[in-house]
Amino acid sequence: MTQGRVQNKVALITGAAQGIGKETAIVLAREGATVIVSDINDSLGATVAKEIGGHCVYLHLDVSSEDDWKHAISTITERFGKLNILVNNAGVTGFQEGFGPQDPENASLDSWRKVNAVNSDGTFLGCKYAIQAMKSSGAGSIINISSRSGLVGIPGASAYAASKAAVRNHTKTVALYCCQQGYPIRCNSVHPAAILTPMWEPMLGAGPDREIRMAEIAKDIPMQKMGTAEDVANAVLFLASDESKYITGIELTVDGGILAGASATPKRQDIHE
Ligand SMILES: NC(=O)c1ccc[n+]([C@@H]2O[C@H](COP(=O)([O-])OP(=O)(O)OC[C@H]3O[C@@H](n4cnc5c(N)ncnc54)[C@H](O)[C@@H]3O)[C@@H](O)[C@H]2O)c1
């Protein structure tokens, strides 16, 4: 059901060819925004924009490239006259990309830099160029997709976790900076965990063990199930809309309760006094 919650707003979403970014594009377009789908996967991204239809367009944008950001923002402001919503969603773990081991002892400096170039540098560049475009656009909302991994350590994914922590912290800096400058721009982070998207494929694999692995993951989630891309898209929609107009600098978790603590309560005999 459409309620026009982001009617007349222009929204740019990075990494929107699949997964959370794609679903966010669908939800924001459904709620009335003019959506710019961007990615490095041009064929898939263009297909998503076509499926959404209406005013939706596809734009190539490698978030780690400053030239791409300059080109994307100037194209959007020339074509649509403003930018109101930026979802810095593009992200890599280093696993799908085959960057080698990601633990803090064996990860290479090169792989550390490559993961940070997308997740951390990409978010920095997005905020930088969006601020410049949004301050003359009436109102702006930047939503940075961090992760549960930005709030806790992850032994097997050190660069990913550090980059997502950088995203979380930079969000608060941007939020305060915009308030300080009197810019009508809010900036918040979203922290998903265990959302079933193509990002999980290398961990889940195919074949008969897939269901077993999914059950293993679900066991450690208080809600006992993985989330969907739509669960994250709905949180983004709230932060993108004027319903959240007094909210800036927050971190919104979408994780089935994982970060609330452990779902298992220690039994009396487990406590050593
Ligand atoms: N799925 C989860 O459980 C989960 C959990 C926590 C955080 N996240 C975060 O949510 C975001 C989306 O994750 P997802 O699960 O949909 O991932 P995904 O792998 O399904 O999609 C990521 C998209 O980003 C694009 N991309 C990669 N490098 C890019 C670059 N340099 N420039 C532009 N686009 C690029 C890919 O082509 C792809 O379309 C990521 O930032 C991820 O870290 C996901």
Side-chain angles (χ1 to χ4, degrees):
M1 199 171 46
T2 306
Q3 294 168 341
R5 291 166 67 190
V6 284
Q7 198 73 42
N8 300 324
K9 294 186 190 288
V10 176
L12 168 62
I13 305 161
T14 69
Q18 62 181 34
I20 291 169
K22 174 182 175 181
E23 198 58 39
T24 301
I26 293 169
V27 166
L28 291 183
R30 186 195 69 205
E31 292 299 327
T34 296
V35 170
I36 297 100
V37 167
S38 70
D39 208 286
I40 48 171
N41 188 334
D42 296 329
S43 58
L44 213 52
T47 305
V48 169
K50 205 170 160 202
E51 277 168 18
I52 292 173
H55 298 298
C56 186
V57 294
Y58 175 73
L59 199 65
H60 176 89
L61 169 56
D62 176 347
V63 296
S64 63
S65 159
E66 186 157 17
D67 285 345
D68 276 13
W69 273 108
K70 286 180 183 164
H71 177 256
I73 297 292
S74 67
T75 304
I76 292 165
T77 48
E78 271 164 34
R79 180 154 175 191
F80 301 104
K82 60 178 187 169
L83 177 68
N84 305 114
I85 299 163
L86 168 65
V87 187
N88 278 314
N89 166 77
V92 294
T93 55
F95 299 128
Q96 312 101 297
E97 297 75 22
F99 291 167
Q102 294 296 312
D103 67 85
E105 185 180 6
N106 298 298
S108 68
L109 180 57
D110 184 51
S111 80
W112 171 274
R113 285 182 175 149
K114 281 179 175 158
V115 172
N116 274 281
V118 178
N119 301 356
S120 176
D121 298 1
T123 300
F124 157 72
L125 289 169
C127 292
K128 176 181 166 80
Y129 288 100
I131 290 170
Q132 293 174 14
M134 285 177 176
K135 62 186 184 187
S136 56
S137 295
S141 175
I142 301 172
I143 297 115
N144 293 330
I145 307 298
S146 176
S147 172
R148 155 190 181 256
S149 312
L151 295 160
V152 296
I154 307 288
S158 57
Y160 182 73
S163 68
K164 292 297 186 179
V167 169
R168 169 189 176 269
N169 195 272
H170 192 60
T171 299
K172 296 179 196 307
T173 296
V174 170
L176 294 178
Y177 173 80
C178 291
C179 292
Q180 216 174 50
Q181 299 298 313
Y183 297 157
I185 303 169
R186 300 180 293 109
C187 186
N188 295 290
S189 58
V190 172
H191 298 255
I195 307 296
L196 190 52
T197 68
M199 184 176 264
W200 277 86
E201 290 308 321
M203 275 87 82
L204 292 173
D209 289 346
R210 185 182 172 87
E211 289 305 314
I212 298 170
R213 289 195 197 99
M214 283 195 57
E216 276 294 309
I217 294 163
K219 200 161 59 62
D220 294 331
I221 302 170
M223 284 188 168
Q224 301 282 299
K225 60 181 177 191
M226 293 186 81
T228 67
E230 195 184 12
D231 293 328
V232 184
N234 284 331
V236 172
L237 170 63
F238 168 65
L239 293 172
S241 77
D242 295 340
E243 293 156 28
S244 58
K245 65 183 167 45
Y246 195 53
I247 295 177
T248 197
I250 67 153
E251 46 201 66
L252 179 52
T253 55
V254 185
D255 67 350
I258 294 173
L259 283 161
S263 58
T265 312
K267 295 195 176 64
R268 182 72 198 159
Q269 63 267 30
D270 294 334
I271 300 168
H272 304 287
E273 289 170 318

